[in-house]
Amino acid sequence: MGNKRHEKIGLSEEQVLEMYKTMLLARKIDERMWLLNRSGKIPFVISCQGQEAAQVGAAFALDRQKDWTAPYYRDLGVVLAFGMTPKDLMLSAFAKAEDPNSGGRQMPGHFGQKKNRILTGSSPVTTQLPHAVGVALAGKMEKQDFVSFVTLGEGSSNQGDFHEGLNFAGVHKLPVITMVENNKYAISVPFDRQVASENISIRASSYGMHGITVDGNDPIAVYEAVKDARERAINGEGPSLIEAVTYRLTAHSSDDDDRTYREKEEIEEAKKHDCVLTFSNYLKEVGVLTEELDEKIHAEVKELVNEATEYAEEAPYAAPEHALRFVYEE
Amino acid sequence: MAVMSYIQAVTTALREEMQRDEKVFILGEDVGKKGGVFKATDGLYEEFGGDRVLDTPLSESAIAGVGIGAAMYGMRPVAEMQFADFIMPAVNQIISEAAKIRYRSNNDWNAPITIRAPYGGGVHGALYHSQSVEAVFANQPGLKIVMPSTPFDVKGLLKAAIRDNDPVLFFEHKRAYRLIKGEVPDEDYVLPIGKADVKREGDDITVITYGLGVHFALQAAEKLAEDGIDTHILDLRTVYPLDQEAIIEAAKKTGKVLLVTEDNKEGSIIGEVAAIIAENCLFDLDAPVMRLAGPDVPAMPYSPPMEKFFMINPDKVEKACRDLAEF
């Protein structure tokens, strides 16, 4: 038996297994979407691969019955943890009428689901950050005890809305947790060509908030950082900026060829630290996960992905004229 | 029924809506303690406190974006842009976000935010305190743009904007703030967004305009009446989406139409009004549709002679009306 780090921060065996299963589910849905894209069945995919630990670790540290989230386009792990189903996600991939995110109006990765308090997102990056601040402001005004959790990539931390939103949250000490998933690339441009500061979390000091950089490949480390941030937020101690350092294991999207700007060796090296693999190894080392159980989880996940894919592929599109609906309240 | 100024009607509508609904709150630069640079929120900080009349950092994109987030949560934010000219950093939030939230979520979400901004020239405001910016937003389905001309319309339409379940841009002509006074009922009332209003009945020529242009047209109409020219005046009130039915009816009524805006001519709201008339009224027209607008230069200069040259005024409207009547 190894060192049970998860127990020290109050995570039960059940919880870490649930985290693992959610990470694996995110990964497998994503992998299936690539297959569907490459076989010509869906036009587009944008990936979570390599960032599942950060996404799921963070989401599990929140109150998923109460807290609000404004995810960015890679956050398949976050939305799954918040209650979106594999079927919902596949319906979005196939752009079918029943897709709860947008009814087939938006590309996949543009999440939104009111019943699970997942704010609707767009393609211009970082616009969701002020929205999350607005939700936190509303919560404070209404004397509610939830936090607002927003994510983005490190490239997005250069947008005006990053600065404007965090400064607003800092000035008004709002219960917002901002997590930057630093996957080291903004499409093709690497971190050192994007960001002048040594890291992202150092920027927190400009906004009068707590800032921390954590290993985004380690769901337990991310869980701990977000748990702490949530406590501060609920205690009225204001917002936090968390940088989860990850690596993007796929190209930017199905329309990108990353061979033109990064070395194969770099990706091979990153794959050795693949968070799904390393978390699985950890759980096995500490005796929480057996080979037998792992196989069972893989089989369950595969079944879920198969079911969702089949359902979504068969599901109908919205009628063409549906394009005219819901411009304004009807 | 009280006589009040245009800006007093703004304040009255805000106060009554905040009294009516706890979810209504104001956010913007200098809106709190100072009561706004034009005093549109005067006295509201004292009455409702700093949480509901929120002084924000100088950050227009955050004012819009935070307001949109609060609106998605279920609040009724009224965001103030200090000048319409300074709305530009918030354009991404307004066009990419507010306008598309209902549509892109297939009706799951909506963003009931009102964004108020003073616009318009004739106040020695130079390039960046004088602009009309409505055309920037007037091809964005999902948005509504209201530009009232009278205190009566201000109160009824601002209340309607706040209660509307979709985002509304509410542009107030800053020269009208203290110049224009009118009777405003004490009671609670709303006016329909999307409906134009006939401000003067007439049989000879039709003027279609909005904002301060309505008052210029009314003044011109008095002079024209002395010479037996009877002017019909339609106030658009909502410039997006346009009230097509009212435009067609007003154009058909006289067959001679003058369109007036103080915005630059090319690409302005009135170009779309002209297109609606062209599509629907060809055989009812007795003259080509005429447009009176600002020149196609970037914005209004500061020096008084150049500013006066740029601005429309009652004399310019009157002259255009005479040309049209004589056609």
Side-chain angles (χ1 to χ4, degrees):
Chain A
M1 296 297 127
N3 179 14
K4 294 191 178 179
R5 290 168 44 238
H6 66 273
E7 279 186 357
K8 287 186 188 149
I9 58 163
L11 276 167
S12 69
E13 276 191 17
E14 238 173 27
Q15 282 172 307
V16 284
L17 280 173
E18 195 56 35
M19 283 165 77
Y20 173 62
K21 190 175 166 183
T22 309
M23 285 168 59
L24 190 69
L25 184 58
R27 172 68 58 91
K28 294 297 174 191
I29 290 171
D30 200 289
E31 285 177 354
R32 179 65 58 87
M33 285 180 182
W34 278 90
L35 286 175
L36 291 165
N37 173 263
R38 292 312 192 223
S39 59
K41 289 193 170 181
I42 64 172
F44 183 76
V45 56
I46 195 150
S47 267
C48 66
Q49 291 186 40
Q51 299 174 217
E52 296 91 340
Q55 296 166 1
V56 174
F60 272 65
L62 299 169
D63 183 336
R64 287 175 284 147
Q65 303 307 313
K66 198 190 270 181
D67 293 341
W68 288 58
T69 185
Y72 91 117
Y73 52 84
R74 297 200 189 280
D75 277 319
L76 216 154
V78 171
V79 299
L80 274 178
F82 264 77
M84 205 176 283
T85 66
K87 200 187 270 184
D88 294 339
L89 290 158
M90 280 299 172
L91 284 162
S92 156
F94 280 95
K96 295 300 176 69
E98 219 187 311
D99 158 33
N101 297 277
S102 77
R105 290 174 175 204
Q106 294 219 75
M107 297 167 113
H110 294 60
F111 304 114
Q113 195 173 32
K114 196 171 195 175
K115 73 170 185 183
N116 287 317
R117 301 166 317 289
I118 300 167
L119 295 183
T120 170
S122 63
S123 304
V125 297
T126 332
T127 50
Q128 74 275 21
L129 202 155
H131 299 173
V133 175
V135 167
L137 175 69
K140 192 179 174 189
M141 290 172 80
E142 301 264 284
K143 301 191 168 40
Q144 299 291 312
D145 62 346
F146 63 77
V147 304
S148 175
F149 173 67
V150 56
T151 56
L152 56 150
E154 80 287 355
S156 298
S157 76
N158 302 318
Q159 287 283 347
D161 273 352
F162 181 79
H163 174 71
E164 294 200 20
L166 290 186
N167 185 61
F168 194 112
V171 166
H172 291 286
K173 281 204 168 306
L174 298 176
V176 190
I177 302 169
T178 301
M179 184 170 83
V180 174
E181 297 177 31
N182 177 1
N183 66 14
K184 312 220 175 76
Y185 285 91
I187 303 189
S188 68
V189 181
F191 185 82
D192 62 1
R193 289 270 161 179
Q194 280 287 343
V195 178
S197 53
E198 58 180 292
N199 60 38
I200 300 289
S201 66
I202 199 171
R203 293 180 165 189
S205 64
S206 299
Y207 312 119
M209 67 177 71
H210 181 83
I212 186 172
T213 298
V214 294
D215 178 2
N217 282 331
D218 179 1
I220 297 171
V222 177
Y223 176 94
E224 190 175 13
V226 175
K227 194 91 181 160
D228 286 349
R230 189 177 190 280
E231 255 179 57
R232 279 192 300 277
I234 291 294
N235 292 337
E237 292 166 48
S240 299
L241 174 63
I242 297 167
E243 174 187 20
V245 181
T246 66
Y247 189 82
R248 197 187 76 208
L249 293 175
T250 63
H252 165 70
S253 75
S254 50
D255 294 330
D256 173 41
D257 182 356
D258 59 338
R259 289 172 299 186
T260 60
Y261 55 81
R262 62 179 182 180
E263 299 300 322
K264 203 177 163 196
E265 292 72 30
E266 183 185 300
I267 305 167
E268 290 311 315
E269 180 58 30
K271 280 186 176 165
K272 291 180 194 161
H273 310 286
D274 178 341
C275 60
V276 176
L277 193 68
T278 53
F279 195 44
S280 154
N281 289 341
Y282 164 79
L283 293 175
K284 284 172 186 163
E285 277 166 29
V286 297
V288 172
L289 184 68
T290 59
E291 287 298 341
E292 194 188 355
L293 182 57
D294 200 15
E295 272 171 33
K296 191 171 157 252
I297 291 172
H298 270 84
E300 277 173 28
V301 164
K302 191 174 182 181
E303 184 58 28
L304 282 170
V305 177
N306 284 344
E307 267 176 28
T309 308
E310 279 160 32
Y311 183 89
E313 195 170 3
E314 295 297 313
Y317 286 114
E321 303 75 22
H322 188 71
L324 299 174
R325 302 281 310 273
F326 307 136
V327 177
Y328 300 101
E329 184 180 34
E330 292 176 4
Chain B
M1 189 89 83
V3 171
M4 64 173 72
S5 66
Y6 187 101
I7 196 164
Q8 284 171 327
V10 172
T11 316
T12 302
L14 291 170
R15 176 180 292 113
E16 289 182 11
E17 287 306 289
M18 292 181 77
Q19 287 168 345
R20 183 187 62 80
D21 182 356
E22 275 190 353
K23 295 204 183 288
V24 178
F25 73 100
I26 293 168
L27 74 165
E29 294 151 15
D30 305 299
V31 298
K33 268 193 178 172
K34 183 174 165 64
V37 294
F38 289 99
K39 295 285 172 194
T41 53
D42 196 26
L44 302 182
Y45 177 87
E46 289 74 13
E47 185 173 346
F48 300 102
D51 285 345
R52 288 183 71 197
V53 190
L54 192 69
D55 274 322
T56 66
L58 207 171
S59 284
E60 284 81 6
S61 187
I63 293 169
V66 170
I68 290 165
M72 281 198 273
Y73 174 82
M75 305 299 284
R76 291 275 158 174
V78 183
E80 178 179 304
M81 298 289 154
Q82 200 159 77
F83 285 82
D85 313 66
F86 305 148
I87 205 169
M88 298 310 164
V91 168
N92 194 31
Q93 283 292 346
I94 297 168
I95 291 181
S96 302
E97 302 299 319
K100 296 178 175 65
I101 278 169
R102 185 186 292 281
Y103 189 80
R104 77 182 186 213
S105 68
N106 202 28
N107 211 32
D108 194 25
W109 291 94
N110 65 317
I113 184 173
T114 301
I115 300 177
R116 297 178 38 248
Y119 80 99
V123 296
H124 312 303
L127 277 76
Y128 300 105
H129 298 77
S130 300
Q131 292 174 74
S132 298
V133 301
E134 61 274 18
V136 172
F137 301 99
N139 65 342
Q140 297 299 330
L143 292 181
K144 298 176 182 179
I145 309 174
V146 176
M147 301 179 79
S149 65
T150 67
F152 175 82
D153 287 352
V154 165
K155 183 176 163 184
L157 285 166
L158 184 50
K159 281 168 168 273
I162 293 168
R163 295 179 201 184
D164 200 283
N165 289 326
D166 288 301
V168 179
L169 301 182
F170 195 88
F171 292 130
E172 301 155 7
H173 201 294
K174 68 176 84 70
R175 193 167 159 220
Y177 271 158
R178 287 175 175 79
L179 181 70
I180 304 300
K181 295 182 174 66
E183 290 197 332
V184 176
D186 296 328
E187 64 262 27
D188 180 38
Y189 65 95
V190 292
L191 296 171
I193 293 174
K195 291 286 172 201
D197 184 47
V198 175
K199 288 290 195 278
R200 188 185 196 281
E201 292 280 355
D203 291 320
D204 297 327
I205 57 169
T206 295
V207 178
I208 302 178
T209 184
Y210 56 97
L212 204 54
V214 173
H215 299 282
F216 296 158
L218 285 166
Q219 287 173 46
E222 292 305 305
K223 293 215 177 142
L224 293 162
E226 291 166 14
D227 297 322
I229 302 169
D230 194 12
T231 310
H232 187 78
I233 300 173
L234 183 71
D235 177 1
L236 292 170
R237 295 201 297 197
T238 297
V239 301
Y240 191 81
L242 286 164
D243 183 351
Q244 302 209 14
E245 204 178 312
I247 290 166
I248 293 164
E249 193 186 325
K252 284 184 174 175
K253 181 151 193 228
T254 68
K256 289 186 171 182
V257 187
L258 171 68
L259 308 177
V260 181
T261 181
E262 70 170 77
D263 194 3
N264 316 85
K265 188 174 185 177
E266 187 170 346
S268 69
I269 295 288
I270 59 171
E272 185 63 27
V273 177
I276 291 167
I277 297 169
E279 275 181 345
N280 295 281
C281 309
L282 179 63
F283 300 108
D284 300 289
L285 292 181
D286 297 320
V289 171
M290 189 185 279
R291 286 187 289 168
L292 175 65
D296 288 315
V297 298
M300 209 171 293
Y302 186 48
S303 97
M306 283 198 283
E307 181 188 57
K308 200 174 168 195
F309 174 80
F310 184 111
M311 272 297 285
I312 55 158
N313 58 39
D315 291 343
K316 289 183 188 178
V317 177
E318 184 190 335
K319 185 180 177 307
C321 285
R322 284 188 193 280
D323 291 348
L324 185 62
E326 284 164 17
F327 183 88

